Amino acid sequence: MTTEQRRSLLAFQDYIRKTLDPTYILSYMAPWFREEEVQYIQAEKNNKGPMEAATLFLKFLLELQEEGWFRGFLDALDHAGYSGLYEAIESWDFKKIEKLEEYRLLLKRLQPEFKTRIIPTDILSDLSECLINQECEEILQICSTKGMMAGAEKLVECLLRSDKENWPKTLKLALERERNKFSELWTVEKGVKDVETEDLEDKMETSDIQIFYQEDPECQNLSENSCPPSEVSDTNLYSPFKPRNYQLELALPAKKGKNTIICAPTGCGKTLVSVLICEHHLKKFPPGQKGKVVFFANQIPVYEQQESVFSKYFERLGYRVTGISGATAENVPVEQIVENNDIIILTPQILVNNLKKGTIPSLSVFTLMIFDECHNTSKQHPYNMIMFNYLDQKLGGSSGPLPQVIGLTASVGVGDAKDTDEALDYICKLCASLDASVIATVKDNLEELEQVVYKPQKFFRKVESRVSDKFKCIIAQLMRDTESLAKRICKDLESFSQIQNREFGTQKYEQWIVTVQKACMVFQMPDKDEESRICKALFLYTSHLRKYNDALIISEHARMKDALDYLKDFFSNVRAAGFDETEQDLTQRFEEKLQELESVSRDPSNENPKLEDLCFILQEEYHLNPETITILFVKTRALVDALKNWIEGNPKLSFLKPGILTGRGKTNQNTGMTLPAQKCILDAFKVNGDHNILIATSVADEGIDIAQCNLVILYEYVGNVIKMIQTRGRGRARGSKCFLLTSNAGVIEKEQINMYKEKMMNDSILRLQTWDEAVFREKILHIQTHEKLIRDSQEKPKPVPDKENKKLLCGKCKALVCYTADIRVIEECHYTVLGDAFKECFVSRPHPKPKKFSNFDKRGKIFCARQNCSHDWGIHVKYKIFEIPVIKIESFVVEDIATGVQTLYSKWKDFHFERIPFDPAEMAK
């Protein structure tokens, strides 16, 4: 189970909550869930309904540590009949389920009419394929015991959760067959394709939901200020546009063939500048020669946006445009795609992988490379890995031609520079990394640029914290008591983490919890039962400590009431779960302090001064301009929710209509927004006017295009100089303001340092632009040569394989599985195990998605055969003529035979054992 998969599950949790009734799959999840957890989920459904039960189910699911739970979850969905949800999670593509939303909304609207006109028993047989078997049985039972109207209500409830893409059309056909008048109201033509037709557009990757709405390429005369998104039509979006003078100025060095970093403010239309450069580049080649452009986008939403922009603009000119992302790369021949197209939009890791494999022989296949958000070209970022390849080719004297390089950014940054000289060196290193000889900024057309991109006034507001904090004192004592309990069962607790001087209510304390829990995973004792008891208790204690820590952070920046509600919700869930003695003890300790905490949180003298000041700013600004549109930036998702509740409950702020925008959320919290949900909120904010204040985390600071936003509030929110420029860039309306509100003088100081660094950056760029170009190129070459020497000297030698035989143990039940001497490598990257002894260790089940790839025919999945384990070990395949298992190393623990030391590996490449190639002759023995 990779971190990315876990993040994706969190990202798409809203779809799962709306679709899944977890009680239908609990019997299949028995190997992973404790009996009390199962009972708790069932109770949650009975008391609050399927969606709340699904929320709790996901919470328990994401807290699992055992390997194989993710595959177990997928298999449970498959067995229960959730085929649509299974397919969506398997591919991380929820577009089919997302398309059902309009029908869910329609059915909710028509529900009163539905239940009076529909006899469920007449149409249930036609709809059975769209429902879970248990749902059909429950509907019939309700019809029998409570009547048809109650049965119809239950049918609506089940259809609203259906994950079958054809249920709207199936319902329509069933109604028409029964000649039911309701069919006249149930229209499914809009946007619905024949259920047998494959929607090819669904192959776009949607797994990475971190949203970066770059400057809106649809809007130019792409000024967002001159044409709001709602007023732009598809016909004039991609027709020839008249660029502004400042855009022509930015494009000029690149059009002359120079490697260029284009540094210009967010919202000025850099995407359109890249279109100008690209068009000029492709048209300059004489007959018989062709250019080939690659555009790199870091994030999937940006990738999707740029593919759309470039396709619609250039295909009308006869150029072939395509895109490849992580989701499509395995299913398409990348070298052919590159060969057959003129413009390729890529997520950069795709090119890194194919350069390593040799499927793309060198960067010489391209004539122009464009890097979006090019300030990321540093360290081990994929952008830098691509440019390492470029610079090796350049400095190695390769005869192949190198592509022109263009970088786009709102801020090149200055790193840790303390003065202009150091800032200049930092920028020179970025130029060296991108082999850029020019930094293009707007100088001759500044007045025009300033008419398009407005720089907001900035204000600092230092407020006092609470004079005394009784709430924090009580919670801190509970945390000290909990730590003492943890140390009582594990005297070596402090050795689990190297983090020192941790303070309650800080991010540092959260990091301490994370390191302790990771140490628990590989903690060993001779007495395995005692080992299990201690680890379980430590996980419980640290989970409670995490909740207390979260509550202190909420209380510090919002209301004590919000922090206390957060804890009460947590302990309410704990109490309802049939908790063990440890949880009972911890809950009792909290409840003993609850009355005192309630009293403290209700005391008006404990109001947060920061909120009072925030309220004053909002009242003042909306009084001056009732049409004000605000983005309020905060650090965490918990604060987003707390401030939304505060606004909605504050009669002084009744004029506000808050919306929220967050990103993935943490793996230890059931939070996060899906990409469609983010887009929906942004549309409501940008176009529909449903919200006049957006409360957002850092997901919103890079590239959201909201032209009419005229107030930005940074609530205890500060980053580096690049983040400062990006967050400030959200306030794009004329006369906009930006407030930094904090009780910490250090936060204001850091922002002032960022402002100083921005000035250093601009001064350094101006200095560089006065340099003689030949001198600048010489400086860049010197840096490149020096960096390559360092890079070459730091290349790690190929690790020497460990020839000692080692044990592989099941990652869940720790049973002996095989020895490394039994493992064979197929085609350099697939691992099988020889011998009849291994065959006795696993069971095979049919694969839910059998598939052929290369010489492999994927037929089944293999699981640990031990009772109550069923840990997912890998797949069963037919390789040429052989039926063999293929195992994944993350499912196992490697144990050194001599020392007994156990090690976890997430990838085979990290496990340096002696690899023996697969020999068909061995199979005949």
Side-chain angles (χ1 to χ4, degrees), residues 17 81 470 628 787 888:
R17 290 174 62 249
K470 180 67 173 173
T628 291
E787 292 291 320
K888 49 187 180 182

Side-chain angles (χ1 to χ4, degrees), residues 684-713:
F685 191 59
K686 287 166 57 177
V687 181
N688 307 328
D690 293 345
H691 304 297
N692 59 1
I693 180 169
L694 187 66
I695 310 168
T697 56
S698 61
V699 71
D701 66 21
E702 191 167 323
I704 295 179
D705 180 44
I706 305 167
Q708 70 273 34
C709 175
N710 62 317
L711 179 60
V712 176
I713 301 176

Side-chain angles (χ1 to χ4, degrees), residues 31 809-817 836-845 861-874 892:
L809 313 180
C810 174
K812 185 177 180 183
C813 68
K814 294 290 188 78
L816 175 62
V817 172
D836 293 334
F838 181 69
K839 292 177 184 176
E840 299 297 321
C841 294
F842 70 84
V843 292
S844 182
R845 299 173 197 159
K861 292 204 53 71
I862 62 171
F863 302 89
C864 178
R866 287 193 75 182
Q867 191 175 9
N868 298 325
C869 183
S870 299
H871 190 40
D872 181 1
W873 285 358
F892 303 93

